[in-house]
Amino acid sequence: MTIQTSAQEAPTRTPDWLGLDGARVVIAGAGGIGTTCALRFLDAGAHVLVVDRDERRLHELDADPSFGGRGGRTLVADLTAHGAAVTVVDHAIDTLGGLDVVLHSVGINDRRPLLDFTEDEWQRIIDVNLTTLFALGQAAGRRMTEQGHGRIVALSSVSGLLAHENHGPYAASKGGINQLIRVMAREWAKDGVTVNAVAPGYVETPLTSGHLAEHGNREKLEGQVPAGRLGTPDEIAGPVLFLASRQAGFITGHVLYIDGGRTLV
C-alpha cells in the first residue's frame, strides 16, 4: 500500500534518542579525540566548553566554523595547577548555565624504558593523566551529587590492562584511571551520577602521529589488532556520547574497550 502525503507536510524530525539536546558539556583536552567528541556533542544539540592549556589549539578551534561557528566555547586552563579544576567547573556553570556532562580527555605519553625515567618525569605523566581526573572529577562530582544527576566519562586506554613495553608511567596512569572511576562510581551512584571510562586501542590522533610515522610502527601495530587496522576518533566519540546520554543511566563504573579486538590477543 502506498501512503501519499501532501507537499506541505513537514518532514518527520529524527527523535533525540540520546537526550543530549541542551546538555551542558565540559570537555577537558582539545586533542584529536577530545575535539571530535566536542563536534559530535554539538551535532547532538549540546552546549560545549572545551578546556585545554594550549592557547594556540583553542584559538584554532574557536576559528573553526564547525565548532566556534556553532556556539562552541573554549577556556584556557592548566588542570595540573592547584585549584584549576574548581575554577573550570565554576566557569562552566556560569557560562553554560549548568553542568550535565564532563569528559576527561587529558593525556600525554613518553615511550621509553622504565629504567630511563627520572622521578620528576614519572610524576609529570601521573599528574597530567591521573591527578587531573581526580581534581576535575571531584569538582564536577561535588556539583553533580548536589543536583542529583550527572555523567562523567574518562579516557583510559588498553595500556591500563595490557603490559606494553616502554609505557610504564602511561600504563600506570591509565590503570589508575580505571580504578578511580570505579570508586567515584561507587560513591556517587546513589546521587544519580554515573562515572565510566572508554579505553581505546590504537587510534590515529596527534598523540600517536609521531610514533606511527616512524619506520614500521604502523604495520606492527595494525598486525596486533584482530580488526587489522587502527581506530579513528569518530569511533571513540560514539561510545562517549552513549555513556553521556540518558540511555546509559544504569551503566556506571564500567571500562569500555574500543580496540578492534586488541585486548583479545
Side-chain angles (χ1 to χ4, degrees):
M1 180 176 66
T2 302
I3 300 175
Q4 295 182 344
T5 58
S6 66
Q8 291 76 27
E9 185 175 341
T12 302
R13 185 176 184 272
T14 302
D16 180 23
W17 183 78
L18 291 173
L20 290 170
D21 191 9
R24 288 75 57 93
V25 179
V26 170
I27 296 176
I33 293 175
T35 294
T36 299
C37 289
L39 297 177
R40 298 294 82 78
F41 273 112
L42 287 171
D43 289 342
H47 307 292
V48 178
L49 173 69
V50 175
V51 181
D52 201 286
R53 63 185 178 185
D54 188 335
E55 188 171 359
R56 178 192 57 80
R57 182 181 293 173
L58 293 182
H59 280 324
E60 292 174 354
L61 197 54
D62 285 330
D64 185 345
S66 63
F67 180 81
R70 293 194 293 166
R73 298 174 171 87
T74 60
L75 175 67
V76 179
D78 182 353
L79 287 170
T80 64
H82 182 73
V86 173
T87 300
V88 166
V89 168
D90 289 344
H91 178 85
I93 292 171
D94 288 343
T95 57
L96 302 180
L99 181 62
D100 302 302
V101 178
V102 167
L103 170 62
H104 180 273
S105 183
V106 178
I108 57 173
N109 196 4
D110 187 347
R111 293 176 174 84
R112 285 187 287 156
L114 274 170
L115 295 179
D116 290 353
F117 281 92
T118 66
E119 291 185 8
D120 287 343
E121 290 168 340
W122 161 275
Q123 193 61 52
R124 175 173 176 265
I125 293 175
I126 297 300
D127 286 346
V128 171
N129 294 4
L130 179 58
T131 306
T132 57
L133 173 60
F134 162 74
L136 184 62
Q138 185 188 62
R142 185 167 285 119
R143 294 301 191 110
M144 289 176 174
T145 55
E146 290 174 355
Q147 69 191 17
H149 67 87
R151 300 277 192 272
I152 298 175
V153 182
L155 199 68
S156 182
S157 167
V158 296
S159 294
L161 177 66
L162 303 176
H164 293 148
E165 63 180 358
N166 300 328
H167 277 65
Y170 182 79
S173 71
K174 296 301 184 176
I177 285 173
N178 292 350
Q179 192 62 11
L180 180 58
I181 65 103
R182 286 165 52 82
V183 176
M184 288 177 172
R186 173 66 180 86
E187 293 187 0
W188 302 339
K190 66 182 183 300
D191 298 307
V193 180
T194 67
V195 188
N196 294 288
V198 295
Y202 305 132
V203 179
E204 299 200 50
T205 70
L207 182 64
T208 61
S209 61
H211 181 67
L212 291 173
E214 295 176 8
H215 178 70
N217 284 344
R218 176 182 293 275
E219 292 76 13
K220 177 183 177 182
L221 294 181
E222 288 177 343
Q224 295 173 350
V225 181
R229 64 175 179 85
L230 306 183
T232 68
D234 259 324
E235 291 174 312
I236 311 304
V240 167
L241 264 68
F242 168 71
L243 290 173
S245 77
R246 65 185 176 194
Q247 303 295 338
F250 207 53
I251 302 172
T252 196
H254 182 70
V255 179
L256 176 59
Y257 290 93
I258 311 168
D259 61 2
R262 176 65 183 92
T263 52
L264 300 175
V265 297

